[in-house]
Amino acid sequence: MNIAENIAQVYTNIQDACTRAHRDITTVRLIAVSKTHPPEAVIKATAAGVQHFGENRVEEAESKLPAVSALTDVSLHWHMVGHLQSRKAKDALTLFGTIHSVDSYKLAEKLSRLAVEHRRSIALLLETNVSGEASKYGFQAAGWEQDDVLRESLFDAWRQIAELPGIEVRGLMTMAPIVTDMEDTRPVFASLRRLRDAMQETQGIALPELSMGMTDDYPVAIEEGATMVRIGRAIFGERNMR
Ligand SMILES: *Cc1c(COP(=O)(O)O)cnc(C)c1O
């Protein structure tokens, strides 16, 4: 298990996917998801050039981020990728630069209120469930292309969120179902991209970021337009939990 070698391999795969999709590699940001792994693993990844890291629990980040800061002078950008409970919003705001898991107007409104109060600005992504899997968090968007009522109510909610002060809505995030053939994730990623395009075109709100793709499916996500890939196991190895 060599973190630097793993990162080099991931970058090679990102480059290959970009080549297939006629994209420039600079349009794809690698986020190394360090959940369950110690600060020393994060430091090894920074030595290999990674500056963006993801965590999925506020409690874990609360102890890990200061420990990482104590070990490096490199300034890192932390992404909250896991489900965020409303009562943890304040802590998340101080720990993270970007929150990928905004899944309700209520949570966005709370983050906005706290951001204004603490004179901070925070980047947000709207987590969206386009596959319809019951186990997934996110704004429910399965069938959005056929269902005008669903689409309009989604766009209304997102427009209201985009107008809130103190927060900057940067795009959409999704998680594909777990499948045996990576190719089966393509319709999910393509749907999120079309939904983003539809939102931009009809509401005039820029949503440049598409956070999609994990260890098992990031090449397909990049082919379908991902601008952020969230990769854990391919960099840090298998997790014992979660
Ligand atoms: C754990 C996690 C990842 C990374 O998953 P891997 O399969 O280890 O690459 C990405 N996104 C979210 C939301 C996660 O919780």
Side-chain angles (χ1 to χ4, degrees), residues 33 35 56 81 173 175 214-215 230-233 239:
V33 179
K35 66 189 185 193
N56 72 333
V81 300
M173 177 275 223
M175 289 173 81
M214 310 179 11
T215 291
R230 311 177 308 268
I231 300 180
R233 287 168 298 137
R239 291 178 290 272

Side-chain angles (χ1 to χ4, degrees), residues 34-125:
S34 50
K35 66 189 185 193
T36 77
H37 296 286
E40 292 72 22
V42 174
I43 295 303
K44 285 186 184 150
T46 63
V50 176
Q51 290 182 10
H52 288 254
F53 291 89
E55 287 287 332
N56 72 333
R57 290 176 60 231
V58 169
E59 296 84 346
E60 189 176 337
E62 264 170 340
S63 57
K64 193 182 299 181
L65 273 54
V68 170
S69 299
L71 294 172
T72 181
D73 292 331
V74 181
S75 128
L76 304 179
H77 188 107
W78 289 92
H79 299 252
M80 172 59 177
V81 300
H83 180 62
L84 179 59
Q85 289 171 302
S86 192
R87 63 188 173 83
K88 300 275 181 188
K90 185 160 176 276
D91 299 322
L93 191 72
T94 55
L95 291 164
F96 297 101
T98 304
I99 297 176
H100 291 230
S101 45
V102 174
D103 59 1
S104 69
Y105 178 81
K106 192 167 154 274
L107 177 59
E109 199 273 329
K110 181 154 188 188
L111 287 165
S112 162
R113 195 153 33 80
L114 290 164
V116 170
E117 196 179 309
H118 296 272
R119 294 190 171 74
R120 285 190 45 124
S121 169
I122 180 117
L124 305 183
L125 302 176

Side-chain angles (χ1 to χ4, degrees), residues 4-203:
E5 278 173 25
N6 291 348
I7 289 169
Q9 183 61 56
V10 167
Y11 273 126
T12 299
N13 295 344
I14 291 174
Q15 177 61 70
D16 289 349
C18 284
T19 302
R20 288 193 297 275
H22 308 288
R23 298 183 57 189
D24 191 304
I25 192 166
T26 60
T27 64
V28 180
R29 168 157 288 149
L30 171 61
I31 299 170
V33 179
S34 50
K35 66 189 185 193
T36 77
H37 296 286
E40 292 72 22
V42 174
I43 295 303
K44 285 186 184 150
T46 63
V50 176
Q51 290 182 10
H52 288 254
F53 291 89
E55 287 287 332
N56 72 333
R57 290 176 60 231
V58 169
E59 296 84 346
E60 189 176 337
E62 264 170 340
S63 57
K64 193 182 299 181
L65 273 54
V68 170
S69 299
L71 294 172
T72 181
D73 292 331
V74 181
S75 128
L76 304 179
H77 188 107
W78 289 92
H79 299 252
M80 172 59 177
V81 300
H83 180 62
L84 179 59
Q85 289 171 302
S86 192
R87 63 188 173 83
K88 300 275 181 188
K90 185 160 176 276
D91 299 322
L93 191 72
T94 55
L95 291 164
F96 297 101
T98 304
I99 297 176
H100 291 230
S101 45
V102 174
D103 59 1
S104 69
Y105 178 81
K106 192 167 154 274
L107 177 59
E109 199 273 329
K110 181 154 188 188
L111 287 165
S112 162
R113 195 153 33 80
L114 290 164
V116 170
E117 196 179 309
H118 296 272
R119 294 190 171 74
R120 285 190 45 124
S121 169
I122 180 117
L124 305 183
L125 302 176
L126 302 166
E127 183 171 357
T128 306
N129 179 352
V130 283
S131 69
E133 272 188 298
S135 60
K136 295 261 189 289
Y137 289 109
F139 287 92
Q140 295 305 314
W144 68 271
E145 274 166 300
Q146 297 78 35
D147 188 337
D148 297 349
V149 175
L150 171 68
R151 190 173 59 248
E152 289 312 316
S153 70
L154 204 52
F155 287 176
D156 278 349
W158 288 354
R159 207 177 41 242
Q160 286 176 46
I161 291 173
E163 285 164 3
L164 292 168
I167 60 171
E168 191 191 354
V169 179
R170 300 280 302 153
L172 305 181
M173 177 275 223
T174 202
M175 289 173 81
I178 294 164
V179 292
T180 43
D181 183 357
M182 191 195 316
E183 201 48 45
D184 293 340
T185 61
R186 190 180 298 280
V188 172
F189 297 138
S191 176
L192 191 76
R193 184 201 180 125
R194 286 195 303 273
L195 179 57
R196 184 278 304 272
D197 292 347
M199 174 77 187
Q200 291 195 143
E201 278 157 26
T202 64
Q203 314 296 313

